[in-house]
Amino acid sequence: MLTTARTGAAALAAALLTGAAAVPAFADTPTPTPAAAPAALYGKGDPTYDGVFRQSLALTALGSVKVVPSDAAVVWLTGQQCADGGWAPFRSDPSVACDPKAEDSNATAMAIQALQQLGGHRDEVTRGSDWLKAVQNADGSWPLNPGTPGDANSTGLAVNALLAANIDPAAVTRNGKNAYDGLALFQLGCAAPAEQRGAFAYQPSPDGSLKANDLAGSQALLAAAGGKLPVTNTNRVDTPPKPLDCATATVTVPHADSAEAAGSYLAAQLDANGQHLMQTMPGAAATPDYTATAWTVLGLVQSGRPATAAPAAEWLAGNGHDWAAKGKSGTDASAAALMLLTAEAVQLDPYHFGGTNTVQLLIDAGPAPKSVPAAAAATDARNDSGATRADDDNGISPVWLVGIGLLVGIGGGLLLSLRRKRAGRPAGGPNKTDGGKSEGDEQK
């Protein structure tokens, strides 16, 4: 396990670009030498901060389309589990005992979901779930690393993992506070300005206030809606989610209203930005946030709003190929997996998602699978003759076109909270909530 951390604004930029919940402390410590990606790992970039996370996300996405992964890919993931049941971001030498302070709730939550979907890994899933229960904070939330303050992203991912393991998050408690109580700590309620109600903060600001952060909200939404990966579309006929009703003011948003309120806030942000979310880093112009957009689609579908999610999925289909496929180290496995999961959630063709064969793109990023379904006949990750188009409707069912038509008819705070969260963290290498340094840095 590497014991040095990345430093400075570049680390923050990479974290925000790839969807990371946390970044390393801004200390004057040396940048570690990048680790080589094992042959069994999806993605060729440095796995130091995201190896387990991206492997789990890739296995989950491929499993959703009945691709049977190689034994090596699965053995690599199970071999990364620590003796106490948790996972670290990456262990270059699994024979070396894990540092308990550096074990990672995000990596653990993703590994649980992947192994539960694969089946046949009850022991690993049980031990991982027990570890999550053991590191829950006294307020019901989850930290990135044990003993640190909780955050919305880590709490949301922990809830996803518990649900995947068939454990009721409401029954997982610490000091009388359950997992949903922990998630509620980060959601803006009726005390916030009307246009921010329902949003999630990553963590409270130093003064205790909550500032809306769309990435935190996008990942918390899936948990608030009672979901896990992969997300299955129920094809319910939906209406746009309703804003939080503040006729009867409450201190925190009740769990029964959480997903509705978060979905309403995020849907408004999608509408305001051309059906995608944006991110703004200090000193830089706002740029599209592909990661947050994808997670928002998954959360909206889980909450029963597939038609609300459809335009954002179409935007991702039309604009996401370069995000996923053109990193300096080749395909960003986490991005490709999110593209595939998004296509599946909204019932678009993952073999022609805006011109991208997301299944083949992800397969090509890792070890050869044991078997693929008959639908995976194409061998090229790009299966159209021209540039991907935002209005490409190939593979879209008439239900979605009607749904979209009906819908048409009808920063700085995060930087402070991230600094506060990482201050004083024991060395051990931060995890990325989505993508990590190795592949996400290529997207800058």
Side-chain angles (χ1 to χ4, degrees):
M1 169 92 47
L2 294 174
T3 57
T4 50
R6 287 182 300 144
T7 60
L12 175 62
L16 293 178
L17 281 167
T18 59
V23 295
F26 297 99
D28 294 325
T29 54
T31 300
T33 302
L41 187 64
Y42 285 88
K44 304 308 179 187
D46 178 8
T48 300
Y49 303 104
D50 78 320
V52 168
F53 194 101
R54 80 188 194 218
Q55 187 81 344
S56 302
L57 195 58
L59 291 173
T60 300
L62 290 173
S64 73
V65 291
K66 310 304 182 186
V67 171
V68 180
S70 72
D71 291 337
V74 179
V75 168
W76 184 89
L77 181 58
T78 58
Q80 291 282 302
Q81 190 170 25
C82 301
D84 62 4
W87 270 265
F90 172 70
R91 301 169 67 190
S92 59
D93 183 358
S95 68
V96 177
C98 296
D99 176 359
K101 293 180 180 179
E103 290 180 50
D104 186 313
S105 68
N106 295 187
T108 301
M110 293 303 298
I112 288 170
Q113 292 176 81
L115 293 174
Q116 180 72 0
Q117 185 195 44
L118 287 169
H121 298 279
R122 177 174 294 183
D123 178 66
E124 291 92 341
V125 169
T126 298
R127 292 195 298 119
S129 302
D130 288 345
W131 183 87
L132 282 179
K133 295 176 185 178
V135 301
Q136 184 181 23
N137 283 341
D139 59 10
S141 70
W142 269 268
L144 175 65
N145 305 111
T148 60
D151 62 80
N153 305 67
S154 298
T155 303
L157 290 172
V159 169
N160 299 152
L162 293 171
L163 290 165
N166 298 313
I167 298 170
D168 181 4
V172 178
T173 64
R174 183 63 60 92
N175 286 354
K177 300 294 185 180
N178 67 39
Y180 290 127
D181 294 330
L183 194 63
L185 296 171
F186 309 104
Q187 191 166 21
L188 283 69
C190 293
E195 68 276 7
Q196 296 182 30
R197 292 171 187 166
F200 277 85
Y202 167 65
Q203 285 180 324
S205 298
D207 63 3
S209 63
L210 297 177
K211 296 187 181 351
N213 178 264
D214 291 352
L215 177 58
S218 69
Q219 293 187 315
L221 173 58
L222 181 59
K228 57 182 175 58
L229 297 177
V231 173
T232 301
N233 180 1
T234 60
N235 251 338
R236 284 174 279 182
V237 177
D238 65 74
T239 57
K242 297 178 181 178
L244 186 64
D245 183 1
C246 289
T248 303
T250 57
V251 176
T252 58
V253 179
H255 174 56
D257 301 327
S258 180
E260 184 88 354
S264 175
Y265 167 79
L266 288 168
Q269 302 311 302
L270 292 173
D271 287 342
N273 292 293
Q275 295 308 316
H276 61 277
L277 298 178
M278 299 291 290
Q279 63 180 11
T280 303
M281 295 181 294
T287 57
D289 193 329
Y290 298 90
T291 298
T293 301
W295 281 96
T296 297
V297 170
L298 297 175
L300 287 171
V301 172
Q302 177 63 40
S303 62
R305 263 62 189 211
T308 304
E314 279 295 295
W315 180 88
L316 192 64
N319 296 278
H321 176 266
D322 288 357
W323 168 56
K326 293 190 176 180
K328 293 179 182 178
S329 299
T331 297
D332 182 328
S334 291
L338 281 174
M339 291 263 287
L340 197 167
L341 288 166
T342 298
E344 281 290 284
V346 297
Q347 296 185 340
L348 297 183
D349 183 358
Y351 296 97
H352 197 289
F353 190 47
T356 299
N357 184 339
T358 63
V359 180
Q360 193 65 48
L361 185 65
L362 190 52
I363 287 175
D364 290 346
K370 292 174 68 175
S371 67
V372 297
T379 58
D380 190 348
R382 290 289 285 174
N383 50 22
D384 61 357
S385 58
T388 305
R389 303 183 306 278
D391 62 347
D392 186 349
D393 63 1
N394 290 326
I396 304 175
S397 69
V399 171
W400 284 109
L401 293 177
V402 171
I404 295 171
L406 289 173
L407 283 174
V408 172
I410 55 173
L414 177 61
L415 175 60
L416 290 173
S417 64
L418 289 176
R419 284 179 180 268
R420 185 168 65 88
K421 175 180 175 66
R422 304 308 294 173
R425 178 189 180 278
N431 180 52
K432 311 308 269 178
T433 297
D434 185 331
K437 170 189 182 287
S438 60
E439 298 180 16
D441 278 352
E442 318 298 345
Q443 307 304 324
K444 289 189 290 182

